[in-house]
Structures are given as C-alpha cells and as structure tokens.
C-alpha cells in the first residue's frame, strides 16, 4: 500500500492544531493485546482493540516503539527504523493499523527514538570497527556515534553516570584489549548515543521520519529528545549527574529547528510531543511555541518527580498535595498563550498513579481514581490516557526479582542489593517493595481486558505476569456498568469536546493553602468552571473567595460531572464540604 502524503484523506483535512481539544490514548504494544498466543502483545492485537479506544472517545493513539529491536529496553533500542519488530507483526500490519485507525477518525502518533539506537543497529556494528577501514579509507559510520579516548589508566573519558546506572561510557564487547576508545550511552550500554553533530546522520534520520509521515502517520512522540546535543567539552559533572551537560546542549535548538524544517513542516498538521526532563517554562516557550516552529508540546516531569523522580526515584517519598498544586498551577499559568501543555499522570515509565496517591484497594478505589482523573483532565493542555488508566489499573505486588523485566529496575537491584559500591544499600525485601512502588514494570503488566485467564490479554504465557487483581479490575466488567472508571473517563473526554472553555479558558487556583483539596477555576469573560477534588479519605471543607462568588452568583450553575452519587446539586457559597475523595466540576454561565 502506498499513501501519498499530499493526497489528503479526511484526516488530513483536519483543522490545524487539532491536538488542542484532543485526548491521546497511549499504547505499550508489548502489553496491550496478544493476537497469536505467543504471550507478547502485537499490532493485530492493537487493531482488534481500536473500537475500544474509539468507544472511550480518544482522538489519537501514541504507540510506543514497534520497530525492529534488540529488546534490551523493549523497543527503545532500535536495530532498524524502517522494519517492524517481528514479535509485533509486519509492515503490512503497521500500514493496516494506520488505515484502520484513520477509518475511525483516530490519528496515529509513533514513537521516535533519535537519541540512540541499539548496539546491534548496523550503523553501530560498522561504527565500532574503528576510525579507518581495513583498506585505509575513513569509516563513514564512525561519526554516527560519540567516541572518546579514555584516560591513561584505562579510565572512562569523564565521570558521567548513565541514567540506567553505571558509567555512561563503555567499550564495545568486540574491542581489542588495547583499545582506548569509549562510546557514550546516556541510558544503557546497549543504547549507544547517536552523534547529532554529524550532518550525514541527521539527514538519514530526517529522511526516515519523512518516510513514516508519507506512510500516513500523524506525528511523533520524541523520545528523550532533549539529550541529542551534549556539551562538546564533555566536562566532569558534580556527583556524576549527566543531565546538566548531556541535555539541552548548545546545538539543541538548532537541531530541533532543522528537524521541524526538514520534516514536520513538510506535511500538514503534524503533531509532535517532545519528552524533556529538565524542562522549564522558558524552554517550553522555545520548544513548544504556539507558532509551531519546533514541537507541538512537551512532556515535562516535575509533577511526577515530586516523590523522588530524576534525583532519586528509589524512595518511599509521597507526593505532597500542596507542592503538586503549586507546580501544576505554575505550568498552567506560565504556558498560557505561550506554549502548549500536555496533561498526564501515567505512562510506560511511571508506576500506576492510583497506587501513588488515591487508594489502590478498598471501597474508595474507583472513587479516588475518578477524582484524580477529573483533577487533571479539566486543566489546559492535551490529556494522555495510558492503557489501563481508564480502568483504574494499579501497581503489581512484585514478590521475587524473577518477576521483574525492566532494565532500569534490574540495574537498580544489582546496584542497591548487590556487592558492588553504592552509597545506598537495600535488603532484597526492601528493594522488591520499592520496585512494587516505583518500578516501570507496574505500568507494563498486561492490559486487563476481562476475567478469563491472563485477563484476556493472551492465550499463551504472558511475557510478564498479569496483575492478580484482573478478576476485579477489567474492561469487560467496566463496560457493563454506568458508574465505572471507564465510563467516567468517557464522560470527561466528551466534556472536552463540548465545552470550549476546557481548551481555551484561563486557570487559577482556589483555596490555595488547603492541604487536602485541589480546587481551581477555569475562566473566560462570560463563563466559569469550578473544579474541586478531595484527595483525602475523609470529608474536607473548601473555602471560596468573595470575588469568586460575586462574579458567578448571577450565572446559571450546573454540575457537569461528579464522582459522588450523593452530589445532586451545588449551591454556590463561601464554604462547602466534600465527601471522601469527592470531585466535581460545575459550569457557570449562560447555558
Ligand atoms: C524514554 C522512554 C523510556 C526509555 C528511554 C530510553 O525515557 O520513555 O521508556 O527507556 O527513553 O529510550
Ligand atoms: Ca503476539
């Protein structure tokens, strides 16, 4: 099948910036749906569930990498950008996915991993052969990666620590004994960093991205893109922290603008979302500017770093609600009219949010999940729903390290429980508790479709265990019920389509110092939304300022959505009480 990018199908005729009132559904294909019983989710599995995504009301899918891979990091280590991982299917399956998604009015955003490839990518296999070929010519692939000489005693070129642990420099396994050349890898040694300073490499990547857009995909999620430019001096870093020197390097903006010019701007209405740790509103204003000169929006991490995050994730720290409110408000206000936010609690790298705050079991499980959803979906930005989030899926109780698959958790286990040097040491039991709380595999246990064996994910043995709570939490059951978490997400998504104020209104926090409740307003000249969410399992009081009451009291009021069957009416008054985990949104205006 060939798709001519210039011949517009109905999707291509969408209005510019279609993502502003869209909701994106994120799929981790390995864990979504297995169509052939080999225990691994695949593309035909995804195609079979497009109607489910449609039913939820999402307009776009972001699918995690589905390319040929060596699978050290489940697809984030690519061996060929233009082939499909055979475990997932074929190129025909990918083309059918694009076509079937488009038939349903769903756009497809694919994951672009451009900071690094797999160490088994042919470019790297060539690169590691050395600067010159046996016939004396220079090796054209040498400079596709970042090579530096080590110190006189065989030490690495600098003290940078890889994000997945250990030194960020390695020698290839095939290197001769006396070789002193190291390659840089910000993540694992199996993920060597590409050298973006090399124009030939950049052109190769741009060509490949255009090739995908020509196939009909609607945009890209730009994996770890802030790392593509590094400090060229490669200086030692304080405590070995790689981020200050390896992210937002001096040429990042140049590369990003060039990528826009060479790729995104050549097609219509391409959506891009850039994964950027270390983001600030100033950076967002450059990289996700409303003028569309670079990316459409960014993923920042600060709200999810509040319980550890980039600095040190392996702790029991809890997210503090006051800090969370300050941070969310900061981003909502700073980006208004300047850059575009993304809104998310969950993705394939994050433990399940309902286990981080909210209640993962007990009578308030569903109510707290709905509260957390409502709280973020009514802010400004593009919401992302990560597979299973719409069911209130929870963390997995890891009881043995043999259940863990994730490279990051396995490396942390070696470091903190193993014999090697480390400032922090944990017992195995402590570390398993931490992995159950913070590990990325919590997001990667199979999607819970129904109450049949393996949650209906696979007829074979799943590559990673299914959460034992699938008999209780699954899609089939939730689709039978009007008051399920799924139905609540469906209503939230529908509200965004109906009320322009959710996309365009301004944001202001209410009752800011309240430690238990997140209340905020969205406002325009003539309309107002009041959002209130009780983060506690006990009743709480909320106080509204006098000017808030004054401006809304003559307007007609109506509850648009609530997670509390007892909340039938809302009377605007200076204070009111919320039930445990109650959340609602009230609309004030002319209806
Ligand atoms: C991003 C991805 C993560 C991956 C890493 C390296 O952070 O979301 O899953 O491990 O980049 O590609
Ligand atoms: Ca399969």
């Amino acid at each position: 099948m060939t798709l001519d990018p210039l011949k517009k199908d109905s999707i291509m005729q969408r209005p510019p910036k279609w993502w502003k009132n869209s909701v994106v559904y994120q799929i981790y294909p390995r864990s979504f749906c297995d169509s052939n019983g080999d225990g691994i989710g695949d593309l035909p599995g995804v195609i079979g569930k497009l109607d489910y995504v449609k039913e939820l009301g999402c307009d776009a899918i972001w699918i995690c990498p589905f390319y040929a891979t060596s699978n050290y990091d489940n697809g984030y280590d690519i061996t060929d950008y233009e082939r499909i991982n055979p475990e997932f299917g074929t190129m025909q399956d990918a083309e059918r996915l694009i076509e079937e998604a488009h038939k349903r009015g769903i756009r497809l955003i694919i994951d672009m991993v451009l900071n690094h490839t797999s160490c088994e990518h042919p470019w790297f296999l060539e690169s590691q052969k050395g600067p010159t070929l046996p016939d004396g010519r220079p090796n054209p692939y040498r400079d596709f990666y970042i090579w530096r000489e080590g110190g006189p005693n065989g030490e690495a070129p600098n003290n940078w620590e890889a994000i997945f642990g250990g030194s960020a420099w390695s020698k290839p396994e095939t290197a001769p004994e006396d070789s002193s050349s190291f390659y840089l890898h910000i993540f694992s040694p199996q993920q060597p960093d590409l050298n973006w300073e090399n124009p030939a490499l950049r052109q190769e990547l741009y060509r490949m991205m255009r090739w995908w857009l020509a196939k009909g995909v609607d945009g890209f999620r730009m994996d770890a893109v802030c790392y593509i430019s590094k400090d060229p001096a490669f200086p030692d870093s304080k405590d070995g922290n790689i981020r200050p020197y390896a992210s937002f390097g001096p040429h990042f903006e140049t590369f990003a603008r060039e990528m826009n010019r060479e790729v995104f701007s050549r097609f219509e209405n391409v959506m891009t979302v850039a994964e950027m740790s270390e983001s600030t509103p100033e950076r967002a204003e450059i990289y996700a500017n409303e003028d569309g000169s670079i990316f459409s929006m960014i993923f920042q991490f600060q709200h999810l770093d509040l319980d550890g995050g980039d600095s040190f994730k392996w702790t029991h720290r809890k997210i503090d609600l006051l800090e969370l409110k300050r941070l969310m408000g900061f981003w909502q206000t700073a980006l208004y009219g300047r850059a575009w936010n993304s809104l998310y609690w969950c993705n394939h790298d994050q433990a399940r949010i309902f286990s981080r705050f909210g209640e993962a079991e007990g009578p308030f499980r569903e109510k707290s999940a709905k509260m957390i959803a409502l709280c973020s979906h009514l802010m400004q930005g593009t919401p992302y729903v990560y597979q299973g989030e719409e069911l209130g899926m929870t963390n997995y109780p890891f009881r043995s390290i043999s259940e863990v698959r994730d490279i990051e958790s396995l490396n942390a286990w070696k470091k903190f429980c193993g014999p090697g040097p480390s400032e922090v040491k944990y017992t195995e039991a402590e570390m398993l508790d931490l992995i159950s709380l913070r590990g990325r595999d919590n997001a990667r246990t199979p999607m819970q479709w129904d109450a049949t064996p393996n949650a209906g994910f696979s007829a074979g043995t799943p590559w990673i265990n299914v959460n034992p709570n699938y008999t209780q939490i699954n899609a089939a059951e939730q689709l039978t019920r009007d008051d399920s978490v799924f139905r609540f997400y469906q209503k939230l998504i529908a509200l965004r389509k109906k009320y322009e104020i959710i996309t365009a209104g301004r944001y202001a926090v209410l009752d800011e110092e309240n430690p238990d409740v997140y209340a905020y307003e969205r406002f325009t000249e003539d309309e107002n939304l009041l959002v209130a969410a009780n983060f506690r399992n006990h009743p709480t009081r909320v106080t509204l300022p006098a000017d808030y009451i004054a401006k809304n009291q003559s307007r007609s009021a109506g509850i648009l959505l609530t997670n509390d069957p007892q909340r039938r009416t809302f009377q605007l008054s200076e204070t009111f009480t919320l039930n445990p985990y109650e959340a609602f949104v009230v609309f004030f205006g002319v209806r």
Side-chain angles (χ1 to χ4, degrees):
M1 184 186 69
T2 47
L3 280 173
D4 177 356
L6 299 172
K7 209 174 76 211
K8 306 289 176 289
D9 60 18
S10 57
I11 292 241
M12 288 305 210
Q13 279 159 20
R14 64 208 169 207
K17 305 212 171 157
W18 53 269
W19 51 89
K20 285 199 166 178
N21 70 346
S22 294
V23 177
V24 182
Y25 190 79
Q26 187 195 345
I27 291 179
Y28 195 70
R30 205 174 180 79
S31 306
F32 194 57
C33 182
D34 171 22
S35 71
N36 62 355
D38 65 356
I40 299 172
D42 45 49
L43 298 185
V46 174
I47 295 170
K49 296 295 183 186
L50 287 172
D51 286 335
Y52 171 86
V53 176
K54 180 82 194 155
E55 162 105 15
L56 185 59
C58 290
D59 319 73
I61 287 173
W62 150 27
I63 185 163
C64 288
F66 52 27
Y67 321 94
T69 174
S70 41
N71 258 335
Y72 294 107
D73 190 18
N74 290 349
Y76 285 94
D77 48 322
I78 296 172
T79 55
D80 188 339
Y81 291 94
E82 292 169 51
R83 272 181 38 229
I84 298 297
N85 175 358
E87 291 173 325
F88 290 176
T90 62
M91 190 55 77
Q92 282 72 34
D93 293 324
E95 286 163 354
R96 209 157 59 80
L97 173 61
I98 298 169
E99 197 183 303
E100 291 293 325
H102 284 183
K103 262 191 211 161
R104 291 165 178 79
I106 298 173
R107 359 280 194 195
L108 193 73
I109 307 300
I110 62 174
D111 211 318
M112 269 296 146
V113 189
L114 303 180
N115 177 66
H116 47 268
T117 66
S118 161
C119 59
E120 292 164 22
H121 192 293
W123 295 341
F124 189 72
L125 297 180
E126 287 304 313
S127 185
Q128 66 181 11
K129 288 181 181 161
T132 36
L133 298 172
D135 64 7
R137 282 181 305 132
N139 178 355
Y141 290 101
R142 184 62 171 183
D143 278 346
F144 270 42
Y145 296 85
I146 300 167
W147 295 93
R148 288 289 178 282
E149 293 303 296
N153 303 317
E155 64 275 28
N158 69 24
N159 71 347
W160 293 2
E161 257 180 47
I163 290 175
F164 291 164
S167 167
W169 299 93
S170 293
K171 290 184 193 174
E173 271 169 25
T174 56
E177 273 288 303
D178 58 354
S179 158
S180 54
S181 302
F182 288 77
Y183 66 90
L184 179 70
H185 53 83
I186 288 189
F187 291 91
S188 76
Q190 294 85 5
Q191 294 163 298
D193 278 46
L194 287 164
N195 175 21
W196 272 71
E197 301 295 333
N198 178 353
L201 165 83
R202 299 205 301 276
Q203 286 308 323
E204 198 46 50
L205 294 173
Y206 300 154
R207 184 199 55 73
M208 175 275 295
M209 283 193 267
R210 288 193 299 262
W211 181 83
W212 276 108
L213 286 170
K215 272 195 179 296
V217 303
D218 300 281
F220 305 116
R221 179 259 185 185
M222 310 294 302
D223 183 70
V225 70
C226 58
Y227 295 110
I228 62 178
S229 165
K230 286 100 173 153
D231 186 328
F234 293 92
D236 271 342
S237 180
K238 200 171 139 267
D239 307 330
N241 182 3
I242 199 167
R243 288 185 168 88
Y245 297 105
S247 67
F248 292 98
H251 297 143
F252 180 47
E253 188 177 338
T254 312
F255 296 157
R257 285 194 192 280
E258 181 183 80
M259 195 179 340
N260 181 293
R261 212 167 46 240
E262 297 277 330
V263 185
F264 317 145
S265 70
R266 303 215 184 162
F267 293 77
E268 279 186 46
N269 299 325
V270 171
M271 178 193 125
T272 51
V273 50
E275 187 198 27
M276 291 185 177
S277 54
E278 310 279 296
S279 281
T280 58
E282 293 71 34
R283 284 174 169 164
E285 208 178 326
I286 300 172
Y287 295 103
N289 194 291
E290 294 276 356
D291 69 5
S293 55
I294 305 189
F295 304 117
S296 319
M297 66 186 108
I298 60 159
F299 283 133
Q300 61 84 16
F301 289 84
Q302 292 173 351
H303 62 303
L304 293 176
D305 286 348
L306 289 175
D307 52 359
D310 279 355
S311 49
F312 187 63
K313 89 181 248 175
W314 302 107
T315 71
H316 285 274
R317 224 180 119 183
K318 287 266 176 210
I319 297 177
D320 177 82
L321 185 61
L322 284 174
E323 273 187 288
L324 179 78
K325 294 202 291 187
R326 251 170 246 138
L327 202 66
M328 299 293 263
F330 172 71
W331 281 91
Q332 286 289 303
T333 314
L335 297 204
Y336 185 85
R338 299 206 170 97
W340 194 246
N341 279 302
S342 54
L343 305 171
Y344 73 103
W345 292 126
C346 301
N347 65 33
H348 64 292
D349 295 329
Q350 296 289 335
R352 295 279 177 181
I353 195 68
F354 312 123
S355 299
R356 289 167 78 173
F357 48 46
E359 301 207 356
E361 21 192 289
F364 291 125
R365 182 174 57 77
E366 290 211 333
K367 196 172 180 194
S368 68
K370 294 172 189 169
M371 179 278 293
I372 291 168
L374 185 139
C375 181
S376 91
H377 269 245
L378 296 169
M379 293 185 189
Q380 185 175 52
T382 301
Y384 288 74
V385 179
Y386 177 69
Q387 64 186 45
E389 178 188 339
E390 75 283 11
L391 308 174
M393 273 178 65
T394 62
N395 279 355
Y396 180 91
F398 292 97
R399 285 293 155 262
S400 150
I401 191 67
S402 67
E403 295 181 289
V404 177
R405 300 283 174 273
D406 171 28
I407 188 171
E408 183 192 44
S409 294
L410 291 171
N411 286 350
W413 173 268
K414 272 186 231 140
K415 180 167 177 192
F416 302 127
C417 300
S422 164
E423 274 167 34
V424 184
K425 283 287 175 196
Y426 290 123
T427 66
E428 296 195 347
E430 282 167 347
M431 196 58 207
L432 279 171
D433 270 355
L434 283 166
I435 291 174
S436 305
L437 184 71
R438 310 300 312 272
R440 304 195 299 178
D441 278 342
N442 288 300
R444 301 173 182 185
T445 62
M447 175 71 178
Q448 293 166 204
W449 291 107
D450 57 38
T452 65
N454 299 327
F457 161 72
S458 171
T461 308
W463 69 278
I464 187 170
N465 286 350
V466 177
N467 194 313
N469 65 16
Y470 74 93
T471 47
Q472 194 194 359
I473 305 179
N474 65 69
E477 189 278 327
Q478 297 207 10
L479 285 165
T480 64
R481 238 179 339 117
D482 252 7
D483 64 347
S484 63
V485 181
F486 180 93
R487 295 290 177 210
F488 193 83
Y489 267 86
Q490 203 180 32
K491 287 175 197 147
L492 262 178
I493 294 168
L495 278 185
R496 179 168 289 269
K497 308 287 162 199
K498 203 165 156 203
Y499 292 89
E500 169 75 15
I501 186 173
I502 300 175
T503 305
R506 282 178 168 268
Y507 164 100
V509 71
L510 295 166
D511 203 2
E512 189 167 7
E513 295 309 320
N514 190 324
D516 304 317
V517 171
Y518 197 157
Y520 62 89
E521 63 172 318
R522 299 291 308 280
F523 60 98
T524 64
E525 274 294 281
D526 340 290
E527 292 180 345
N528 198 285
L529 288 181
L530 169 64
V531 178
N534 179 6
F535 275 70
R536 307 292 174 228
N537 64 2
H538 51 79
T540 54
R541 278 196 86 64
V542 187
T543 307
L544 294 175
D547 60 338
Y548 185 81
I549 297 179
K551 78 175 169 190
N552 286 303
Q553 64 194 356
S554 63
R555 292 170 172 165
S556 79
I559 298 176
L560 299 187
L561 188 61
T562 164
N563 67 352
D564 194 324
Q566 286 167 29
R567 170 73 55 190
R568 297 220 169 73
T569 55
F570 177 75
Q571 208 46 54
L572 190 60
S573 61
E574 223 168 88
T575 70
F576 59 91
T577 302
L578 292 171
N579 289 325
Y581 292 115
E582 179 179 357
F584 61 69
V585 49
V586 179
F587 177 88
F588 297 96
V590 188
R591 293 230 281 175

